Amino acid sequence: MDIGSYKLTSIVTSTFALDGGAMFGVVPKTLWSKQVEVDDLNRIEMVTRTLLLESADRKILVDTGNGDKWQPRMREIFKINTDQFVLPASLMQHGIDVNDITDVICTHLHFDHIGGNTRLQGEELVPTFPNAKYWVQEENWKLANHPNEKDKASYLSENWAVLAQNGMLEILKSDTEIFNDIGLEIVHGHTAGQQLPLISDGTTTLLYGGDLFPMKAHIPIPWVMAYDNEPLRSIAEKKSILPDLLEKDAIIFFEHDPANVACKLVSTEKGIFGGTNINI
Ligand SMILES: [Zn+2]
């Protein structure tokens, strides 16, 4: 798919699993289990899905997934599997070397979004994309370095410390268009300063759903995650964003949905829901 001067490619970088109850907050299992696959430990099968944007002069990644630095115990808890998908190898299949990446837009610094930012070279942590700028919102950067007790376990400095040391981080303070046709929706309900790229050429619009819309089942307004720091704020953010996306006939891209890469929206008397799937 192309939007404006960008060619869009979706790349799955790992499979993993999170607790189903945590993924759907107050929604009863009798409802959410009809929408998603669940294992015998009540975990939902998920993926990490990166979006690659290529133009004449830039090669941009949106998020980098779980990465490959995991110890066996954590791999087991989160069922992290990177046997089939590793970001550098997947990029090579599209003819792109890690040195070619110019920018990495980090939606937020939770490990399942930016674990691929760095990698181990022997015992040493190094940037996975040595020539890239890594873009983060200031509010999220501050929280990641001084996390609250609720989402502290998701902020692991091994995913950014070496980037900060090498001066590779670009700390943003607003929703200004960072590249031609790429704006940012800033939301705070899941965690402070989450930035969701909004790619639009005026005809086609796509929102990278991040952890505001991790899966297609999260489109209905009350279906928010128990992981969110401020669930009521997530609800308000969805309420404000969805009608605008519907009016633009926009596409939502899902970072964590194994079965649905992206979709359009439909409006019914019961609210706004996921509609026709779009392949990217
Ligand atoms: Zn998150």
Side-chain angles (χ1 to χ4, degrees), residues 216-264:
K216 191 174 180 179
H218 290 95
I219 291 176
I221 284 162
W223 289 52
V224 298
M225 298 191 282
Y227 291 115
D228 289 6
N229 284 337
E230 297 182 70
L232 282 175
R233 200 161 175 188
S234 297
I235 285 174
E237 289 163 349
K238 289 167 78 174
K239 241 174 160 167
S240 137
I241 289 170
L242 280 171
D244 191 43
L245 292 177
L246 182 71
E247 197 188 305
K248 292 183 172 129
D249 195 27
I251 298 161
I252 302 185
F253 182 96
F254 303 111
E255 186 163 7
H256 289 318
D257 195 325
N260 307 290
V261 177
C263 77
K264 295 245 179 143

Side-chain angles (χ1 to χ4, degrees), residues 108 110 112-113 190-191 211:
H108 61 300
H110 283 166
D112 53 324
H113 296 259
H190 174 64
T191 192
D211 272 349

